[in-house]
Amino acid sequence: MTPRRLAPAGAAGARLRFEVTAGMDVTSSCRALGVVLSLALLAGCASAPRDIASRDAEEPYFARQLPGLPGGWDPMMSPVDNPILQARSLDNPPPALVQQALLAQHERWAGTPYRLGGSSFQGVDCSALVQSVFEETFRLSLPRTTGEQVNQGQPVARDALAPGDLVFFRPPGPYDHVGIYLGEGRFLHASTSRGVMISRLDNQYWQRHYWQARRTLEPTTLAQRVLTAGEG
């Protein structure tokens, strides 16, 4: 048996140090590569929110095209569905509500004959009609007679009339006449010849006998009372 030849102690130590050093170099390289990959992934994840945030800043949420919705669809809340705008409208309702409410009263009273001293659908005079309409529509109590109603509220010029104003006339005979202005040159009244009807201020007869107009309450206040009356 041939005895194994041993390498010199110096050479074996050198080779061992080389192998250990090489192993450490490979391990260090792997660790360095792992760190680089981890940083790259973190950088990618960190950049995504910034991109989204940038897009959000440049493009409002409601301006985006939402998935599953037709092109050009506007998701913004409409004034009809907006409770804030609805609340504001209750504080400042349009005077057109007054005209609509008065036209509804005309529908109720149309065709009722004129009767001096009457206050029902069997017969009504002009001041009783005004008193009833104001009580039911605006919850405002007016005096019974034309002579008393003409002293209510404030005077208003003919060219500044608004729906709900009282218009007074002095036709031939012992009695004055009163009606309720509707707007657009028309007024609601109980005519002595034709009963409850709508007439025009520029009619030759009424234009000749026009006397004055009074505003019991501002149009916006009357409109608020229309809403309140409807709730009751």
Side-chain angles (χ1 to χ4, degrees):
M1 176 178 250
T2 304
R4 181 181 299 169
R5 180 184 281 180
L6 298 177
R15 185 174 66 184
L16 179 59
R17 285 195 300 272
F18 172 77
E19 291 176 353
V20 172
T21 304
M24 293 178 62
D25 292 341
V26 171
T27 302
S28 300
S29 299
C30 291
R31 289 178 179 174
L33 180 60
V35 171
V36 171
L37 291 176
S38 298
L39 292 176
L41 290 175
L42 290 175
C45 294
S47 63
R50 287 198 296 271
D51 294 341
I52 294 175
S54 176
R55 184 183 65 186
D56 289 342
E58 297 175 356
E59 183 181 14
Y61 175 79
F62 284 111
R64 300 180 198 163
Q65 180 60 44
L66 301 179
L69 296 176
W73 181 78
D74 184 8
M76 296 297 287
M77 185 178 292
S78 69
V80 175
D81 299 327
N82 193 323
I84 297 177
L85 293 182
Q86 288 180 346
R88 289 176 179 173
S89 68
L90 295 179
D91 294 334
N92 189 26
L97 287 177
V98 177
Q99 183 185 61
Q100 295 169 5
L102 292 174
L103 289 174
Q105 286 289 341
H106 170 255
E107 292 295 324
R108 295 181 66 240
W109 287 91
T112 300
Y114 179 90
R115 182 166 67 86
L116 183 63
S119 58
S120 69
F121 291 105
Q122 282 68 48
V124 66
D125 62 26
C126 62
S127 58
L129 175 68
V130 169
Q131 184 187 47
S132 178
V133 168
F134 265 71
E135 179 66 35
E136 295 179 6
T137 307
F138 309 121
R139 293 185 177 179
L140 178 63
S141 297
L142 293 180
R144 172 64 178 84
T145 67
T146 304
E148 294 171 309
Q149 292 174 0
V150 76
N151 295 317
Q152 300 299 301
Q154 301 295 325
V156 58
R158 182 169 177 171
D159 59 0
L161 287 171
D165 290 341
L166 301 181
V167 286
F168 294 89
F169 305 86
R170 280 192 161 171
Y175 301 106
D176 296 327
H177 189 67
V178 62
I180 307 172
Y181 187 69
L182 300 175
E184 301 170 353
R186 302 176 299 165
F187 67 100
L188 171 65
H189 67 124
S191 167
T192 56
S193 60
R194 300 176 59 183
V196 178
M197 62 178 296
I198 293 176
S199 298
R200 294 195 59 84
L201 282 177
D202 58 6
N203 173 276
Q204 185 176 1
Y205 179 84
W206 297 114
Q207 190 171 17
R208 182 166 64 250
H209 298 295
Y210 181 85
W211 178 21
Q212 62 172 296
R214 308 287 291 191
R215 178 166 295 167
T216 57
L217 292 172
E218 290 299 318
T220 300
T221 304
L222 291 178
Q224 290 174 335
R225 291 185 173 229
V226 170
L227 294 176
T228 303
E231 293 172 355

